Amino acid sequence: MTAPAPPSDPAALARAPAPALSPDQAEAWDRIAAILQRAGIDLVDATSQPATDEHCEVLAITGKAGSGKTMLLAELTRALVEAGVEIVSGDYEPRRSRQARRLAILAPTNKAASVLRARGVPATTIHRILYTPVYDPEYEKIAEWLAGNAPRPSIDGLSDTALQRAQSFYEQVKSIPGALAAAGLRGSDFITGWKRRDDPLDIGFVDESSMLDARQLEDLKELFPTLILFGDPAQLAPVGQSGEMVFDRLPAPSRLHLSRIHRQAQDNPILDLAHMLADPDLGFEEFERQIEQAARRDDRVLMAERVNSDLMARSPVLVWRNATRLRLIHAFRRAHDAPEAELLPGEPLICDGLELPLKHRKKRIDLEARGLIKGAQVVYLGPGRKPGFSRLHIFGAEEPQISVASIIKIETDPDAEPFIPFAATMGAAFVHGAACTIHKAQGSQWREVQVFAPDLFAAARAGRSEAGIALWKRLAYVAITRAEHRLHWVIRNRLARPTTALNVDDLVKVAAPLHLAPTDGGSD
């Protein structure tokens, strides 16, 4: 997997040429523009007025893969920047006047946010917006200077050269923590803690809103008087919501569906296959024949006789059943001669949550802000300096490398307790990431994706449905649309031997680790 792109420069986004909108995108634009105008922002005149205390207004823009939701979100972001609206990044919020209007572009996971950032949209996570960093007053002077709100400061212990490095970094990447790190500071030097946001924001765009649950939507409605949701109704609903997504419960006037599939999407054989699944008469066997035909025409689709173990190191095999996931993980580790009692550098992991007591609430917020939230995908780089600590690379995080107290669980049997080769007494919990369920893969994308077809065949034979749609079709749709470039449709329960040993060379060159303060259950 390639490294995530740095956060976008909103000014550069505003300067980019605007593409033409399709009729249904134009209708969505007009609906959103009307909501923004009622909120005091005129996209036509590129002007904004101070916010008023109106009630929350919510609109959901839905559409399948290729319908142009992300392009519409990016165009609206640019128009708001041109109207003088500030982007809230989540890493630092400069002092502002009461007149300023603010926009936050959110995603439920770091990986989903990084997909947007790679496309030029300055997105952050919901977790990162709910909690704001508290900066040391001395170093906050640097942040205010970089943001253009204060003169260049003089800081004891920081040379002019260090400040120049910070300024040069910030001119290229609008990240205050990144700029301070470029000056030679650690996160524990300038961030003294985190606090839950106690004042509402302004405008919120939420991508991948099919992943939201009802509680998250209520939290967002309390935070944003103007809230626009972007989501795919063909994906899998959150667990426990009976196949319903949060936008399904909105009244009809608060929903708008994008039905047109754009030319660039029509030229994509992977999306062609995804949209075939809308045919209610399509059976599993016929769908596999369509995949086989697509593979003959285009090398972006591959009918694979066995799982490629080399790909598993950076993108998990997508499965339906948990037992299949565990068998593939066990086969992957055995193929790499991984010892039972330890991990090899380069093994993929998935964060399974934070096991910290209430008294360590500050550390929990700290780790979540760094990207260690449930479902985050990471790679093990090696042991930390203290027992039970691990050095990790977090995919999708703006500062991807961290050393953290870890509880790593190696599962071998669905009915047995996981084997824990080593662990801190508390910290971030991880399961192996060489394979994962399709449900957990939502919001993520990889350049190449392997879908384990025998599991989807089992789902088809089971005859289950979700919200009136065959479950296997929902699973197949989500799984194949995770692929950015190539889809591997694996038809046999076999694993190919790896051609290269596990390594982390592609990750350690991405960025130097930004260490946090050494505390129990935190980073070393």
Side-chain angles (χ1 to χ4, degrees), residues 172-340:
Q172 298 178 50
V173 180
K174 299 299 183 187
S175 169
I176 295 291
L180 294 176
L185 298 171
R186 301 183 307 165
S188 56
D189 291 330
F190 55 84
I191 295 179
T192 60
W194 299 81
K195 65 176 182 178
R196 186 173 177 96
R197 185 182 297 278
D198 51 12
D199 59 320
L201 281 168
D202 195 351
I203 304 158
F205 289 171
V206 185
D207 197 30
E208 295 287 355
S209 61
S210 57
M211 298 173 67
L212 296 178
D213 58 34
R215 175 63 182 273
Q216 287 173 313
L217 179 60
E218 290 306 311
D219 286 345
L220 291 169
K221 286 166 68 175
E222 289 180 6
L223 201 56
F224 295 99
T226 302
L227 187 62
I228 311 297
L229 309 178
F230 296 83
D232 187 338
Q235 293 198 10
L236 293 157
V239 175
Q241 290 198 182
S242 305
E244 255 192 342
M245 298 176 188
V246 291
F247 44 73
D248 293 331
R249 303 177 186 180
L250 296 176
S254 297
R255 301 194 306 267
L256 193 150
H257 185 71
L258 302 179
S259 56
R260 176 179 170 182
I261 304 303
H262 293 266
R263 184 186 61 78
Q264 64 270 27
Q266 292 171 338
D267 292 340
N268 186 328
I270 298 170
L271 292 184
D272 286 344
L273 291 168
H275 293 296
M276 287 179 189
L277 292 162
D279 181 356
D281 297 324
L282 181 72
F284 181 85
E285 291 80 4
E286 174 59 26
F287 183 61
E288 275 210 326
R289 283 193 289 271
Q290 294 294 334
I291 295 175
E292 189 173 1
Q293 291 174 19
R296 293 195 191 104
R297 297 189 303 267
D298 198 306
D299 65 1
R300 288 175 289 180
V301 178
L302 177 67
M303 291 286 283
E305 289 286 333
R306 60 194 67 202
V307 175
N308 183 326
S309 56
D310 291 333
L311 287 179
M312 293 171 75
R314 291 295 179 269
S315 62
V317 183
L318 303 186
V319 305
W320 173 44
R321 297 175 292 194
N322 192 49
T324 306
R325 179 181 71 88
L326 299 185
R327 283 200 303 272
L328 285 169
I329 289 170
H330 182 62
F332 172 84
R333 301 199 78 235
R334 189 171 61 237
H336 281 285
D337 294 323
E340 282 190 1

Side-chain angles (χ1 to χ4, degrees), residues 347-364:
E347 289 199 63
L349 302 171
I350 296 175
C351 182
D352 199 37
L354 300 179
E355 299 186 6
L356 294 170
L358 287 176
K359 68 178 182 178
H360 287 287
R361 180 174 175 272
K362 175 180 175 291
K363 181 52 61 180
R364 172 185 291 274

